[in-house]
Structure formats: structure tokens, C-alpha cells
Amino acid sequence: MAKAKQVKVTLIRSVIGQKPEKVASVRSLGLKKINSSNILPDNDSVRGMVASVSHLVKIEEM
């Protein structure tokens, strides 16, 4: 069975001054502090959240 694709998401900019919807997206990705990372499944819901905060995060495919 093939291993499911995953992405590593890293917070590179602060959420201070961002709209509450953007802050909620960052928090739901599991990111709390700058340079915190989380490995998540590569699916549409995660990609949508990353797209909405693309100016705050860095994404790497694993």
C-alpha cells in the first residue's frame, strides 16, 4: 500500500494584525509560533487553508 502524500507547513510570519479568519486558519493548521512546523496530509482542505494564508506560511512536499 502506498504511503499517503504529506506536506510540511511552517509559519514564517506573525499573525499579529491579520484578520480573525486568517488567524483561525493558521491555528487550525497546528501552528502557534513563528518557525513552528506541522506535517499534514496533502488533501484539498489543507491546501485551501494554506492558500488562504500563503503569505504567512511556507509549504514543503514530503
Side-chain angles (χ1 to χ4, degrees):
M1 190 161 129
K3 188 174 181 182
K5 291 185 179 181
Q6 295 181 329
V7 292
K8 180 179 180 182
V9 183
T10 305
L11 186 64
I12 57 170
R13 294 192 61 198
S14 175
V15 295
I16 294 173
Q18 299 296 318
K19 294 183 179 182
E21 296 84 11
K22 306 291 184 188
V23 176
S25 292
V26 169
R27 295 290 181 252
S28 64
L29 288 168
L31 307 173
K32 295 184 178 182
K33 297 181 178 181
I34 294 177
N35 290 327
S36 64
S37 298
N38 199 6
I39 297 174
L40 301 165
D42 188 10
N43 56 31
D44 292 339
S45 62
V46 171
R47 288 286 181 164
M49 286 188 283
V50 168
S52 70
V53 292
S54 62
H55 57 289
L56 301 175
V57 298
K58 177 177 70 171
I59 185 168
E60 302 171 28
E61 294 186 13
M62 300 189 77

